[in-house]
Amino acid sequence: MLHHISVAVDNPLHVAKVLSEVWNGKFFPFPPHPGSYIVLAGDQHGTAIELYPAATELIPGESEVEFSQTSFPRHFTGIHAAISVPISQKKIEEIGGREGWIVLLCNRGPFQVVEFWVENKLMLEFLPPALTPQYLTFMQPQNFEQLFATSAVATSS
């Protein structure tokens, strides 16, 4: 179970407001790193997204993680997440359109997602209620075994 993810964005407060709207959730300051916010979905899993200022790096500290700011923020990132949301595709498109952010319905083969490009930099794959069942049905080991005609890779203990 993925409970939260953290990402760096240009305007953490604004992105927190928008994502809390998409989730029908709430957002709060995130005190460990000034200028950061956390968005809570308010679900039974404690699902959340932490939003840090652009160019934030997490580095290992002596007893816990430390926050650092780099001088070289990146425009795009390889990080993305697929997230079920309680609102319709139409509402997602309205919110993205209002923000001037790219929103695309995309066919991933066995399922569809709505790409929601936060600040036109960070891609989140949203699964509104109408698309979630496709995703959940496909994302099972037996489907990947059939797709790749192989067994799952075993892990050693």
Side-chain angles (χ1 to χ4, degrees):
M1 174 62 62
L2 180 66
H3 293 284
H4 81 263
I5 187 170
S6 60
V7 295
V9 296
D10 290 336
N11 190 334
L13 175 59
H14 182 73
V15 172
K17 289 177 183 177
V18 173
L19 293 181
S20 67
E21 182 180 358
V22 170
W23 260 352
N24 288 332
K26 297 185 183 275
F27 69 94
F28 303 91
F30 188 68
H33 187 49
S36 299
Y37 292 85
I38 185 167
V39 181
L40 303 173
D43 64 12
Q44 68 272 23
H45 304 292
T47 307
I49 298 178
E50 296 171 7
L51 301 161
Y52 305 148
T56 297
E57 294 181 330
L58 300 180
I59 57 175
E62 289 192 30
S63 62
E64 65 179 276
V65 67
E66 295 179 5
F67 295 90
S68 175
Q69 291 299 125
T70 180
S71 301
F72 306 101
R74 297 176 187 239
H75 186 74
F76 294 106
T77 177
I79 296 170
H80 81 278
I83 303 169
S84 290
V85 297
I87 63 173
S88 69
Q89 176 186 336
K90 182 179 181 205
K91 184 68 175 168
I92 293 168
E93 290 168 347
E94 289 171 2
I95 293 168
R98 180 192 71 213
E99 298 303 320
W101 297 349
I102 299 165
V103 179
L104 302 168
L105 176 64
C106 296
N107 185 342
R108 298 290 193 250
F111 58 88
Q112 293 179 305
V113 299
V114 178
E115 286 186 1
F116 189 86
W117 286 84
V118 174
E119 298 179 332
N120 293 323
K121 294 179 182 184
L122 169 69
M123 192 256 294
L124 298 177
E125 295 174 325
F126 286 152
L127 295 157
L131 301 183
T132 302
Q134 294 175 336
Y135 179 85
L136 295 176
T137 298
F138 179 74
M139 294 301 281
Q140 301 300 317
Q142 66 271 18
N143 292 328
F144 280 83
E145 288 171 353
Q146 288 176 347
L147 182 65
F148 297 110
T150 183
S151 297
V153 177
T155 57
S156 59
S157 307

